[in-house]
Amino acid sequence: MSIEIKVKCFAHVKNAIGKDIISLKMKENSTSDDVEKMIRKMTNSKLNNISFKIAVNQKYVSSNISLNDGDEVVLISPVQGG
Amino acid sequence: MNISPKKLQKLILENPLINIIDLRNDNQKKNNPLKNLKRRDISFEKIKDSDLNDNTILICQFGIETEKFIIEKKLSNVYNLIGGAAAWNYYISKKEDISRYARQLVLPQVGEKGQKQILESKVSIIGLGGLGTVVAQYLVGAGIGTIKLIDGDIISLTNLHRQPIYPISSIGDSKSKTLKKILSDVNENCSLISYDEYIDDENISEILIDTDIIVDATDNINSRFIIDRFCKKSKIPFVYGALYKFEGQVAVFNHNSGISYSDIFSNNKINENCNDIGILGMLPSIIGNIQSLEVLKIILKISPNLSEKLLIYDGLSHTMEKIELI
């Protein structure tokens, strides 16, 4: 069984992936940390210097949580322009 | 025609028998009785042409309905009191003319009480680039009592596409001093103090003393951590704004000792700012205006607001993502 996760891409993630939204097919019981690992793998070393916080379904998650089919994930990165 | 409370008082001194008519409903009159003003009470429904003569002054609660009435009836020699009864009463008690705020006074979330809170507020804006110049303009317009303008930078040619308030003749001049000079002519109610220096852990307590709200309009993460440490220690909210290409982020941190910037972001070693990655001039204006709005919402205790939330705006798709941070 697999689940499909929607990743909304902003800032550095969007820059590295080149898309606003991507869908990831993942194993059942995959977690929020697994999404981050997969995104880092997909973008080679482009995001190496950046640490992310993760939001699932518009809510910040402070620890690693299990994901369900259809969940929306955002990797939040700090931006600094002003 | 419009008349301010200050000019009306002068007119009354010149002509104590001037025809003044209060058109408010009974509830408005009961809750906000006009102070020190001889007038007749007539309703909008019952007023007749014979009640009006040259130089009649019409009063409603905020000067909106009477202005509309005068335009619709094409009354050429009748005056609308700008800001209405709210502005008149404020002028009588404080000798301060708030009629310029008539369009925000009429909002139930503002009113006379809210405008007083705005006029008594002290806001510090750190960083006077794309975000800070926009925030400063709209907070001065809104009537913030005291605004500290803080930046050690000077104006350069490549700033002007996103900081168009600075004239070309000001290139090489201090941002804080120039902005203070420009905005001093905008609103006499607002006291502006400029600091021609960057904040650091040593000077921040001295510069930001006596501040109710801090606006982070800086362009680097290190400054945000300095602001965050000070805000946590001093229990002051700060309205965060930051940009990345076509995107912007806004949040309110440390509000009522709530979630802080350092709870969400780590001190990443990202060496990039608007100079490196590019920015269109309109984006800081959009994000800066959202920051200004959040400042007023904190002052007026309006919710929902962006306390404990992170708003991400994408200017390409015009989509917004609002993330709950707790």
Side-chain angles (χ1 to χ4, degrees), chain B residues 250-261:
Chain B
V250 185
V252 178
F253 292 118
N254 295 318
H255 189 214
N256 298 326
S257 300
I259 203 157
S260 68
Y261 179 80

Side-chain angles (χ1 to χ4, degrees), chain A residues 12 14 51 53 60 80, chain B residues 245 264 268 270 272 314 324:
Chain A
H12 304 92
K14 184 176 177 177
S51 63
K53 300 291 178 173
Y60 167 68
Q80 59 179 0
Chain B
K245 295 188 176 180
I264 300 300
N268 284 247
I270 305 172
E272 62 189 13
D314 181 348
E324 300 277 347

Side-chain angles (χ1 to χ4, degrees), chain B residues 170-318:
Chain B
S170 67
I171 289 172
D173 294 343
S174 151
K175 285 188 174 179
S176 61
K177 288 177 185 168
T178 306
L179 194 59
K180 181 187 170 183
K181 192 177 169 194
I182 292 166
L183 295 180
S184 292
D185 284 340
V186 175
N187 191 345
E188 62 182 9
N189 298 138
C190 181
S191 166
L192 295 164
I193 306 164
S194 65
Y195 292 84
D196 187 13
E197 55 191 309
Y198 295 105
I199 52 130
D200 56 36
D201 282 317
E202 302 298 314
N203 66 13
I204 192 166
S205 304
E206 196 180 325
I207 293 174
L208 298 184
I209 192 167
D210 206 18
T211 292
D212 301 324
I213 301 169
I214 293 167
V215 177
D216 158 39
T218 60
D219 62 358
N220 64 88
I221 291 171
N222 193 41
S223 293
R224 295 192 168 104
F225 275 94
I226 294 170
I227 296 168
D228 192 57
R229 281 194 289 275
F230 174 80
C231 288
K232 269 208 271 195
K233 192 174 127 196
S234 312
K235 300 189 188 312
I236 298 174
F238 92 84
V239 181
Y240 155 78
L243 310 167
Y244 182 92
K245 295 188 176 180
F246 289 88
E247 287 176 32
Q249 297 180 350
V250 185
V252 178
F253 292 118
N254 295 318
H255 189 214
N256 298 326
S257 300
I259 203 157
S260 68
Y261 179 80
S262 55
D263 291 330
I264 300 300
F265 296 118
S266 329
N267 201 351
N268 284 247
K269 288 173 184 163
I270 305 172
N271 293 314
E272 62 189 13
N273 56 32
C274 298
N275 299 339
D276 307 316
I277 59 171
I279 187 90
L280 283 181
M282 302 79 196
L283 192 77
S285 181
I286 294 166
I287 299 302
N289 270 312
I290 297 173
Q291 287 182 280
S292 310
L293 179 59
E294 290 304 307
V295 170
L296 285 197
K297 281 157 73 176
I298 294 170
I299 293 167
L300 298 168
K301 298 183 173 60
I302 295 172
S303 58
N305 53 49
L306 291 177
S307 176
E308 324 254 280
K309 296 176 193 78
L310 175 71
L311 183 77
I312 305 174
Y313 170 77
D314 181 348
L316 281 178
S317 58
H318 289 300

